[in-house]
């Protein structure tokens, strides 16, 4: 994975090989600018040094988003961005419950006033919006560190136009074609990612003709479903009515579901569209791709299924052969920047602690900073690197990769990376 380089005016230059960065740092020609993602700053100006094109590719997911930077056909940088959607949902729910119980306990009757609240157009739930904010934050940060001139985003799961196109004939259902991948994504969405006959999940699913071709079944998408290997073999050339003759409820469900139109299956992903509209504000060239296309590109190159390699394969312009320079992507986890809650309540909603101090920084440190502590005296002799939780007394806690160490004096701590709402691992 390459290292980001800035010139002395903080303008992004071509990212360089880590070996070269080490040399520059040792020679004193550069110094470290940021630990995560690793960025160096040169001590002299380098005008017009950027000669390559850099493309940032995004594969948005509900828990994890993949980020990848490509230069021509080299994958030079990759990251996994873990969102905190569930955390936000839980804390909003708990706040709601505490408030509700407080109001219901011993207060006069209050008229409901929920009808006077309007949601603005394009409103998304806070848990969904946080995902959009996370991605936009990282696009902003990366455009400041790398001369990015194009963005590619996976926008939809499948291409509705392609599937609707009546010109497509039977030949194109062959395995391994782009159309096959689009149709698979469509069927996965329509049939809920499970075997239509036995309902099994997380197994390889095969495309199945509901009325077999030998019994004059057509290749239309409405005659297709997904089945596991076992059910597909068991059904074989039988008509669906014979195969499910003793399971009428399943038969009815399938016959009903296969008549559903494309529109019902097209789960409009509001988060992805919101992201797409926000990305437009960067004034960079934007390309969008489908999930089917991503899968097709990735399988064709024999790449592993991970979020960051999926991101690499987003879009039609993906090169035929990608040279993967990344061994381990940077793992970025959204942690938030603390809570606004002044007092922690117990399980009955009564105050459990004294009010929080207004001050966030103590002895130059803030909760969330990544520090290195070399303890030379006492019971806790050793070196600890990790996220710090500050205390007014100066006795900090450090959360390392393995455990949480308590009671480390601030005098032993040296900052590595200032708190920025995310934690990092490699
Ligand atoms: Zn099955």
């Amino acid at each position: 994975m390459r290292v980001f380089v800035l010139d002395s005016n903080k303008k992004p230059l071509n990212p360089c090989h880590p070996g070269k960065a080490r040399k520059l740092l040792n020679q004193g020609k550069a110094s470290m600018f940021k630990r995560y993602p690793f960025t160096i700053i040169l001590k002299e100006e380098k005008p017009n040094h950027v000669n390559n094109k850099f493309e940032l590719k995004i594969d948005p997911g509900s828990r994890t988003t993949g980020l990848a930077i490509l230069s021509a056909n080299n994958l030079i940088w990759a990251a996994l961005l873990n969102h905190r959607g569930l955390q936000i949902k839980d804390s909003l729910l708990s706040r709601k419950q505490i408030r509700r119980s407080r109001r219901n306990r011993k207060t006069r009757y209050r008229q409901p006033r929920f009808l006077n609240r309007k949601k603005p157009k394009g409103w998304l739930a806070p848990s969904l919006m946080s995902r959009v904010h996370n991605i936009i934050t990282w696009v902003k940060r990366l455009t400041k560190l790398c001369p990015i001139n194009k963005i590619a985003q996976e926008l939809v799961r499948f291409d509705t136009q392609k599937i609707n196109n009546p010109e497509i004939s039977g030949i194109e259902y062959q395995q391994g074609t782009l159309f096959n991948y689009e149709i698979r994504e469509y069927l996965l969405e329509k049939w809920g990612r499970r075997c239509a006959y036995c309902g099994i999940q997380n197994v390889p699913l095969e495309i199945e003709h509901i009325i077999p071709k030998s019994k004059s079944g057509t290749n239309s998408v409405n005659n297709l479903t997904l089945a596991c290997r076992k059910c597909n073999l068991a059904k074989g050339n039988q008509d669906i009515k014979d195969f499910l003759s003793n399971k009428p409820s399943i038969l009815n469900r399938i016959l009903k579901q296969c008549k559903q139109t494309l529109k019902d299956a097209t789960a409009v992903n509001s988060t992805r569209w919101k992201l797409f509209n926000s990305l437009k504000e960067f004034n960079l060239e934007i390309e969008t791709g489908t999930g089917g296309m991503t899968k097709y590109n990735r399988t064709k190159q024999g790449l592993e299924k991970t979020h960051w390699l999926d991101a690499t394969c987003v879009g039609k312009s993906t090169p035929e052969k990608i040279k993967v320079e990344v061994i381990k992507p940077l793992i970025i986890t959204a942690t938030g920047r603390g809570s606004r809650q002044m007092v922690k309540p117990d399980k009955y909603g009564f105050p459990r602690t004294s009010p929080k101090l207004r001050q966030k920084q103590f002895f130059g440190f803030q909760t969330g900073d990544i520090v290195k502590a070399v303890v030379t005296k006492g019971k806790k002799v050793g070196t600890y690197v990790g996220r710090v939780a500050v205390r007014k007394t100066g006795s900090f806690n450090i959360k390392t990769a393995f455990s949480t160490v308590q009671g480390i004096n601030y005098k032993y701590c040296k900052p590595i990376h200032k708190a920025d709402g995310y934690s990092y691992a490699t």
Side-chain angles (χ1 to χ4, degrees), residues 20 26 94 100 109-110 128 154 182 199 219 237 243 310 313 341 385 424:
K20 194 182 170 191
N26 288 342
S94 92
R100 173 147 302 165
Y109 172 73
R110 286 149 60 137
L128 301 178
E154 190 183 298
E182 298 278 2
N219 267 330
N237 250 350
F243 177 58
D310 264 342
C313 297
Q341 201 165 24
V385 180
Y424 304 90

Side-chain angles (χ1 to χ4, degrees), residues 17-232:
H17 194 271
K20 194 182 170 191
R22 203 175 304 128
K23 209 171 154 190
L24 287 169
L25 289 170
N26 288 342
Q27 287 171 344
K29 286 183 179 169
S31 52
M32 195 168 86
F33 183 71
K34 228 182 215 262
R35 183 67 190 79
Y36 301 106
F38 200 83
T39 309
I40 58 171
I41 182 162
L42 298 182
K43 292 191 175 164
E44 56 187 59
E45 259 181 81
K46 283 255 175 119
N48 302 326
H49 200 63
V50 179
N51 41 26
N52 293 355
K53 292 215 162 204
F54 295 93
E55 187 180 2
L56 173 62
K57 297 185 144 204
I58 307 166
D59 171 33
S62 65
R63 275 161 196 269
T64 305
T65 290
L67 298 167
I69 298 178
L70 255 79
S71 167
N73 45 11
N74 293 335
L75 173 63
I76 60 160
W77 190 86
L80 291 174
L81 175 56
N82 295 321
H83 300 298
R84 56 196 287 268
L86 285 175
Q87 236 174 304
I88 289 174
K89 199 184 160 206
D90 289 347
S91 60
L92 286 177
L93 186 71
S94 92
R95 183 182 74 181
K96 187 181 167 191
Q97 284 166 342
I98 289 168
R99 283 183 177 171
R100 173 147 302 165
S101 80
R102 177 73 231 141
R103 283 180 186 142
N104 283 343
R105 231 172 292 140
K106 258 180 189 169
T107 46
R108 65 185 163 81
Y109 172 73
R110 286 149 60 137
Q111 262 189 335
R113 46 169 216 159
F114 54 88
L115 291 172
N116 64 2
R117 288 173 202 171
K118 252 190 204 161
K119 276 168 186 159
K121 216 182 151 199
W123 179 90
L124 279 184
S127 56
L128 301 178
M129 208 52 216
S130 86
R131 288 168 197 155
V132 178
H133 287 322
N134 287 164
I135 299 170
I136 293 295
T137 300
W138 276 94
V139 174
K140 247 182 223 166
R141 285 184 188 179
L142 291 172
T143 47
K144 278 183 188 161
L145 302 177
C146 180
I148 288 163
N149 32 32
K150 192 180 166 191
I151 298 174
Q153 186 210 336
E154 190 183 298
L155 188 60
V156 284
R157 293 235 179 264
F158 50 85
D159 190 338
T160 325
Q161 290 247 295
K162 254 192 201 121
I163 291 163
N164 257 339
N165 190 353
E167 284 169 36
I168 288 154
S169 61
I171 308 161
E172 312 214 26
Y173 283 98
Q174 281 169 2
Q175 284 286 327
T177 59
L178 173 58
F179 181 70
N180 186 281
Y181 279 88
E182 298 278 2
I183 216 106
R184 269 189 70 87
E185 284 301 309
Y186 165 71
L187 291 173
L188 282 168
E189 201 67 39
K190 182 173 174 181
W191 296 93
R193 299 180 180 269
R194 54 178 70 213
C195 171
Y197 301 122
C198 68
I200 194 169
Q201 273 179 310
N202 299 322
V203 293
L205 295 170
E206 297 169 356
I207 295 179
E208 230 275 312
H209 286 77
I210 294 172
I211 301 166
K213 277 165 104 178
S214 61
K215 300 219 163 79
S216 69
T218 62
N219 267 330
S220 141
V221 281
N222 291 336
N223 190 34
L224 297 177
T225 185
L226 291 168
C228 68
R229 178 88 234 178
K230 229 171 114 190
C231 295
N232 200 355

Side-chain angles (χ1 to χ4, degrees), residues 298-299 301-310 313 327:
R298 181 168 53 74
T299 322
Q301 307 208 14
L303 295 172
E304 214 183 318
K305 180 172 169 47
T306 59
H307 282 287
W308 56 283
L309 283 172
D310 264 342
C313 297
I327 301 163

